[in-house]
Amino acid sequence: MAKADLKSSITRILKIANISLYIIVIVFTGITSILSLYIAASDILKIIMNINSLTDINIINVLSALFLVVLTMELIDMFIIYMERGHIIVDMVIAIVLTAIARELLINYANIESMTLQRGIMLSAAILTLAISYWLVIKADSIKKT
C-alpha cells in the first residue's frame, strides 16, 4: 500500500512540475510576443515618420517582425492545447515551423546578398518536406475520423 502511495505522490509532483514549467514557458513566450509586437510597432512608426524614405526593405522588416508576433502567439496556443489534451498536436507544430521558415525566407529576401545557393536549396527542401509532412498528418487525421 505504501508503495502505491509513494508512486501516486511522485506522479502528482511530476505533473505539478510539468504544468509549472509549461506555465513558465507560456509566460516567457508571452513576453517575447510583447517584445516582438513592440519591435513591429516601432518599425511601423519609423516608416510613418520617414515616409519619404520608404523602401521595400522597411516593409519586409515590418512583416518579419509581425511574423515573429504570429509565431509566438501560435506557440502559446500550442502549449495551451498541449496542456488541455495532454499530447502534442503534430499538424500545429508543422504549421508553426512552416511559418518560421516563411519568416526566414522573408528575411533572406530582404538581404538577398546573404542568400546562397546552398541556403536556398536547404530552405526549399525544408519547405517541401514540411508541406508533405503537413499534408500526410492532415490526411491521416481525416482517415482516422472516418
Side-chain angles (χ1 to χ4, degrees):
M1 192 62 134
K3 190 174 184 179
D5 289 339
L6 178 63
K7 186 177 178 180
S8 108
S9 295
I10 291 173
T11 303
R12 192 173 329 116
I13 289 169
L14 290 175
K15 283 183 181 180
I16 290 170
N18 188 31
I19 290 171
S20 300
L21 287 173
Y22 268 104
I23 289 171
I24 291 168
V25 168
I26 289 171
V27 168
F28 286 161
T29 307
I31 291 168
T32 305
S33 182
I34 291 168
L35 292 173
S36 57
L37 187 60
Y38 170 77
I39 290 169
S42 66
D43 285 350
I44 291 171
L45 285 175
K46 285 178 195 172
I47 288 175
I48 292 172
M49 297 300 219
N50 298 323
I51 198 74
N52 295 334
S53 63
L54 181 64
T55 63
D56 56 346
I57 303 297
N58 296 2
I59 294 171
I60 289 172
N61 288 337
V62 169
L63 289 174
S64 174
L66 289 174
F67 262 112
L68 192 57
V69 173
V70 169
L71 281 170
T72 54
M73 290 174 12
E74 288 297 322
L75 283 172
I76 291 171
D77 284 345
M78 183 186 69
F79 293 138
I80 290 170
I81 290 172
Y82 173 77
M83 288 175 61
E84 289 174 351
R85 296 186 187 174
H87 64 280
I88 296 174
I89 314 305
V90 177
D91 60 329
M92 189 174 212
V93 173
I94 294 171
I96 291 170
V97 173
L98 278 169
T99 306
I101 289 177
R103 179 180 180 271
E104 183 69 20
L105 279 173
L106 196 63
I107 291 169
N108 281 321
Y109 178 73
N111 190 7
I112 199 72
E113 296 85 30
S114 71
M115 185 65 137
T116 62
L117 179 63
Q118 181 182 9
R119 188 166 177 84
I121 291 171
M122 286 179 11
L123 283 172
S124 299
I127 291 169
L128 182 62
T129 303
L130 287 166
I132 291 169
S133 300
Y134 186 75
W135 179 77
L136 288 172
V137 168
I138 295 297
K139 187 80 168 162
D141 282 347
S142 68
I143 290 171
K144 190 188 218 180
K145 289 179 183 175
T146 58

